[in-house]
Amino acid sequence: MSVRESEAVVVSTNYSFIGYIDEELNGLINELKGFREEIQTVEKCKAHYFKAREYYKHIEFFVEHVSPIQAKYKINGALVPKFAEYEEGFVVDPCGFQKIEEQLFSGDELIISDLEKEVVQLIEVFQELKNGYATIQLGKHLYLEMLQLQLVRIASMNLNGYDATFTKTNLQEVDWNFTSMQQIVRCFKSEIGNNPEASKAFKSVLKSIQDAQKTLQKNSDFDSFNRLDFISVELEDVNRNLVHLHRALGLPWSEHKQALKLNSERLFSPETLNPQFFSIYYSDQSDLERQASLGKLLFYDPILSANNERACSSCHQPDKAFTDGLRTSQAFNRDGFLDRNAPSLINTLYQKAFFYDGKAYQLEQQIRDVVHNEKEMGSKLEEVVLKLRQSEEYSALFKAAFTTQKDAAISEYAISKAISEYEKSLIAMNSRFDRYLAGDKKSLNQREINGYNLFAGKALCGSCHFFPVFNGTVPPYFMDSEYEILGTPATNENKGLDPDKGRYLVTKVQKQMYAFKTPTVRNSELTAPYMHNGIYTDLKQVLQFYQKGGGEGFKYPVPNQTLPFDSLQLSDYEQENIILFLKTLTDTAGLKQAPFKLPRFESKPQWNSRTWGGVY
């Protein structure tokens, strides 16, 4: 068992919480044992599968939080190989519930020995968890927080086809999630006493959960379900009432570092995301605003390059949503072009890996790699330090931004830190889509709403581009980034695989050959051309690529493709709706920059003619 370290220290134990988990585990294990005993009869196996699945969905909120490694790698991971970033070369092939579902419901030939192997492994995992949970002690406040995190999991994964891929029983499974939420909330009844505020919140939570279940029970079709309204109304209502109950009971909030501010009454809003969680400088008490202001100057100043002609903004231009509009960016000294397309930097903060191959794990590392790359900046940070120290203006700015620190004298760290703080400020989460989530129901029309429901449902886009950030950073903990093997062609003629090996170049793991990090689709209206190699000029071409089933769908071999090979069966009208939805994610307000005066160099007058934003 892998309990989150900061949560294993506890104030008190309440049997009703862990007792409920234990009872559900007993039922789950017994159901799986019955599955194994009747494994020769397919229909009985299916019945056991659904019952075991129900038991698991009752405790999913708990297992995912307390035992995340087992949940991801052994119990309920997606039907693609999983790669553990914490252990070099560690690969787990699809297993657990999703593998069993594929065996039972895909229509492929059923091999009983393989099915039995999966069932036996699940029994062993759940028995191990049951033994470990017998002595676990968790603070009561954590149960309420786990329920909030489950709401995020429902919105971003369960309603997006992340699991139940073949049965499409996602709505039923979310209903099962809510059944367990009611049970956990009822465990707090004894805590209420004569507290009228807590009593009111307690009743409100239960009612909002029941209302959500009624909505689910009125809808049985996964593809047509209006998940957008369900998220913005029912899920937000449940979250708000959980927060009220938490406060009314006087329970503490977890102090460990996490991506979501769970004491927020809105769960799906920019304010709920914790920017500093995504940075290695979480506890930095420096003047971050001054550092960001300094970083902005450095970002647009070609002084960082070896020839003083190329700036960060050369490839990340504010009027193009911080891309450059080229298929692949121009190389240093105009010597050809780079291998990959320049991604947008808007909301770049909300991820745990950078570059298409994920070779950098912090923005600061990403900045260093770009400056040192012979084809990008052609420079060295140590050389940039010596250059900047020759400017009285820059020296004063560094002293102001890094007061009382050694980096006030200008250091490699200070340069990277300042630029990263500026890039972290490039947040745009007030699109029409975001305003709809906030309650402005006039901000989207029906076709755009339908587009989102297709994106998250039938088209399965949302199972890789996770709501609400819409990149591959996996919610609700946002600890790792997903990589996908799509079979991206070398050209827009779709005749053969692009030779770029992607993530494999970093990990040397064969099953990550041609894998690339999932980018955000926010502001995708403005960031053409598309794909890591920039081969598609418009969103319709991108949709057609997915519609056909990626590289395998175009009949050229793609090792380990993670994209479904078959057609998505989307009509032209449905594809248009998805594109209309994507355009609702456009938001660059306040991020377009006007040219400004760059700092002067007293002893190097020839440097003072350099161009804001670079020459090329």
Side-chain angles (χ1 to χ4, degrees):
M1 183 175 58
S2 176
V3 180
R4 293 176 186 275
E5 188 174 329
S6 61
E7 296 163 359
V9 180
V10 185
V11 284
S12 64
T13 306
N14 188 320
Y15 172 79
S16 59
F17 293 115
I18 202 63
Y20 171 71
I21 302 298
D22 187 65
E23 287 174 4
E24 294 297 311
L25 274 171
N26 281 335
L28 174 51
I29 292 168
N30 289 335
E31 202 63 46
L32 289 171
K33 288 179 177 178
F35 190 139
R36 187 186 182 191
E37 290 172 1
E38 299 188 284
I39 205 160
Q40 297 293 334
T41 309
V42 174
E43 291 307 312
K44 290 184 178 180
C45 286
K46 289 180 178 179
H48 283 298
Y49 167 82
F50 283 122
K51 191 59 183 175
R53 189 83 175 147
E54 180 178 1
Y55 278 119
Y56 178 67
K57 284 295 175 174
H58 286 168
I59 60 173
E60 181 179 41
F61 76 96
F62 187 88
V63 176
E64 285 275 1
H65 193 80
V66 178
S67 308
I69 302 302
Q70 286 88 338
K72 179 178 180 178
Y73 294 107
K74 296 182 179 180
I75 297 173
N76 198 43
L79 278 172
V80 294
K82 291 291 181 183
F83 308 93
E85 302 299 334
Y86 58 84
E87 186 175 341
E88 186 175 350
F90 179 66
V91 181
V92 177
D93 287 320
C95 61
F97 274 120
Q98 298 310 298
K99 187 64 178 177
I100 293 172
E101 184 202 23
E102 179 185 41
Q103 292 169 324
L104 286 176
F105 298 96
S106 67
D108 295 338
E109 180 184 357
L110 182 61
I111 301 174
I112 297 298
S113 59
D114 290 347
L115 181 61
E116 184 174 23
K117 176 185 174 183
E118 294 297 334
V119 174
V120 169
Q121 288 178 342
L122 266 186
I123 293 172
E124 291 174 352
V125 171
F126 284 119
Q127 188 60 59
E128 176 190 349
L129 294 185
K130 176 177 164 59
N131 295 339
Y133 295 162
T135 56
I136 195 171
Q137 296 184 1
L138 296 176
K140 296 173 185 177
H141 66 288
L142 286 173
Y143 287 92
L144 291 176
E145 293 182 16
M146 282 188 263
L147 297 188
Q148 288 185 266
L149 291 166
Q150 184 63 25
L151 295 177
V152 178
R153 192 173 290 110
I154 288 169
S156 59
M157 304 184 82
N158 299 4
L159 292 179
N160 285 267
Y162 183 82
D163 54 8
T165 309
F166 292 93
T167 60
K168 289 195 173 183
T169 52
N170 307 71
L171 301 184
Q172 175 67 74
E173 294 189 357
V174 174
D175 191 14
W176 292 337
N177 288 153
F178 280 121
T179 296
S180 64
M181 286 189 190
Q182 286 198 61
Q183 291 296 107
I184 294 301
V185 170
R186 287 193 178 104
C187 291
F188 285 93
K189 188 172 184 179
S190 60
E191 306 289 320
I192 293 174
N194 296 320
N195 184 334
E197 185 179 353
S199 178
K200 180 181 178 182
F202 175 80
K203 293 175 183 177
S204 295
V205 174
L206 291 177
K207 184 180 184 305
S208 59
I209 292 173
Q210 291 161 2
D211 288 345
Q213 287 184 289
K214 289 176 183 177
T215 299
L216 291 165
Q217 291 160 8
K218 290 177 183 176
N219 299 271
S220 59
D221 184 63
F222 173 73
D223 288 337
S224 63
F225 180 61
N226 190 342
R227 53 201 26 87
L228 186 54
D229 278 0
F230 185 75
I231 291 167
S232 61
V233 178
E234 274 92 346
L235 293 190
E236 283 285 14
D237 195 31
V238 174
N239 178 72
R240 183 167 50 253
N241 288 318
L242 284 171
V243 172
H244 290 172
L245 179 61
H246 198 133
R247 292 173 180 170
L249 291 172
L251 295 171
W253 294 89
S254 297
E255 296 181 355
H256 64 277
K257 300 172 184 178
Q258 58 183 345
L260 299 175
K261 301 174 184 176
L262 295 177
N263 58 354
S264 170
E265 292 195 15
R266 281 199 59 214
L267 195 54
F268 305 111
S269 73
E271 293 74 24
T272 307
L273 287 164
N274 178 8
Q276 288 304 318
F277 167 80
F278 296 90
S279 171
I280 57 174
Y281 300 104
Y282 187 92
S283 301
D284 196 325
Q285 300 301 311
S286 306
D287 190 333
L288 301 184
E289 288 190 11
R290 284 193 177 184
Q291 289 179 11
S293 180
L294 169 59
K296 180 177 177 180
L297 278 175
L298 294 168
F299 184 88
Y300 291 97
D301 196 335
I303 198 70
L304 270 66
S305 63
N307 61 7
N308 298 332
E309 293 184 352
R310 194 166 176 80
C312 301
S313 58
S314 295
C315 297
H316 301 284
Q317 300 165 22
D319 60 340
K320 294 183 175 70
F322 288 85
T323 64
D324 58 13
L326 300 175
R327 175 174 170 177
T328 60
S329 300
Q330 195 167 32
F332 183 69
N333 274 337
R334 298 184 178 87
D335 185 17
F337 293 87
L338 303 180
D339 295 329
R340 296 173 184 164
N341 179 261
S344 172
L345 294 184
I346 299 177
N347 300 325
T348 192
L349 167 64
Y350 300 127
Q351 53 188 321
K352 284 291 189 177
F354 301 89
F355 298 107
Y356 280 107
D357 55 16
K359 66 181 178 180
Y361 290 98
Q362 290 90 29
L363 274 172
E364 295 77 10
Q365 180 186 348
Q366 178 263 339
I367 292 160
R368 184 181 187 87
D369 286 354
V370 170
V371 172
H372 286 232
N373 191 312
E374 293 181 358
K375 292 185 177 181
E376 296 187 51
M377 292 287 200
S379 186
K380 300 289 184 185
L381 279 178
E382 60 190 58
E383 297 172 359
V384 178
V385 167
L386 296 176
K387 289 165 76 173
L388 293 177
R389 286 178 179 173
Q390 298 180 61
S391 167
E392 292 181 6
E393 283 187 65
Y394 264 127
S395 296
L397 289 167
F398 273 89
K399 286 179 182 178
F402 294 90
T403 307
T404 73
Q405 298 181 42
K406 64 179 182 179
D407 301 292
I410 306 179
S411 67
E412 295 180 30
Y413 163 85
I415 294 169
S416 297
K417 178 64 161 52
I419 296 174
S420 72
E421 289 301 332
Y422 169 63
E423 291 182 343
K424 290 176 197 175
S425 73
L426 300 176
I427 295 174
M429 299 283 280
N430 191 36
S431 66
R432 288 195 293 119
F433 180 84
D434 297 303
R435 294 197 293 275
Y436 187 91
L437 288 178
D440 179 6
K441 299 306 179 184
K442 295 182 179 180
S443 64
L444 300 184
N445 63 39
Q446 192 58 52
R447 289 195 68 184
E448 292 164 340
I449 294 169
N450 292 343
Y452 173 73
N453 291 325
L454 285 163
F455 177 94
K458 183 178 179 180
L460 295 176
C461 311
S463 63
C464 296
H465 298 276
F466 298 115
F467 170 96
V469 181
F470 293 106
N471 64 15
T473 311
V474 185
Y477 303 111
F478 299 89
M479 290 295 294
D480 54 81
S481 294
E482 294 276 288
Y483 300 85
E484 301 293 339
I485 301 170
L486 306 176
T488 306
T491 71
N492 60 11
E493 295 179 347
N494 303 313
K495 292 183 178 179
L497 186 64
D498 186 272
D500 190 333
K501 296 178 180 178
R503 183 71 173 155
Y504 171 81
L505 298 174
V506 177
T507 64
K508 304 304 179 184
V509 174
Q510 191 68 29
K511 288 187 177 180
Q512 287 191 308
M513 184 76 74
Y514 308 116
F516 293 89
K517 187 186 69 174
T518 303
T520 184
V521 293
R522 282 182 177 268
N523 293 302
S524 55
E525 178 184 14
L526 307 176
T527 58
Y530 305 103
M531 315 305 279
H532 71 270
N533 53 3
I535 59 167
Y536 295 134
T537 57
D538 59 51
L539 289 170
K540 185 175 182 179
Q541 290 178 338
V542 177
L543 259 292
Q544 280 292 310
F545 171 75
Y546 288 106
Q547 164 83 336
K548 295 287 187 180
E552 287 277 2
F554 281 106
K555 306 302 181 184
Y556 54 82
V558 183
N560 303 306
Q561 180 171 310
T562 57
L563 186 70
F565 307 157
D566 53 341
S567 170
L568 294 174
Q569 301 296 321
L570 295 168
S571 68
D572 290 344
Y573 186 75
E574 288 174 324
Q575 291 180 56
E576 289 171 6
N577 284 353
I578 293 173
I579 292 172
L580 289 173
F581 152 66
L582 291 174
K583 292 180 178 180
T584 72
L585 294 172
T586 299
D587 175 23
T588 60
L591 299 181
K592 294 184 178 181
Q593 309 294 335
F596 46 80
K597 181 177 174 293
L598 293 171
R600 293 182 59 79
F601 288 81
E602 292 74 21
S603 61
K604 296 284 185 179
Q606 66 273 27
W607 290 357
N608 295 329
S609 61
R610 66 195 189 282
T611 302
W612 177 95
V615 177
Y616 64 97

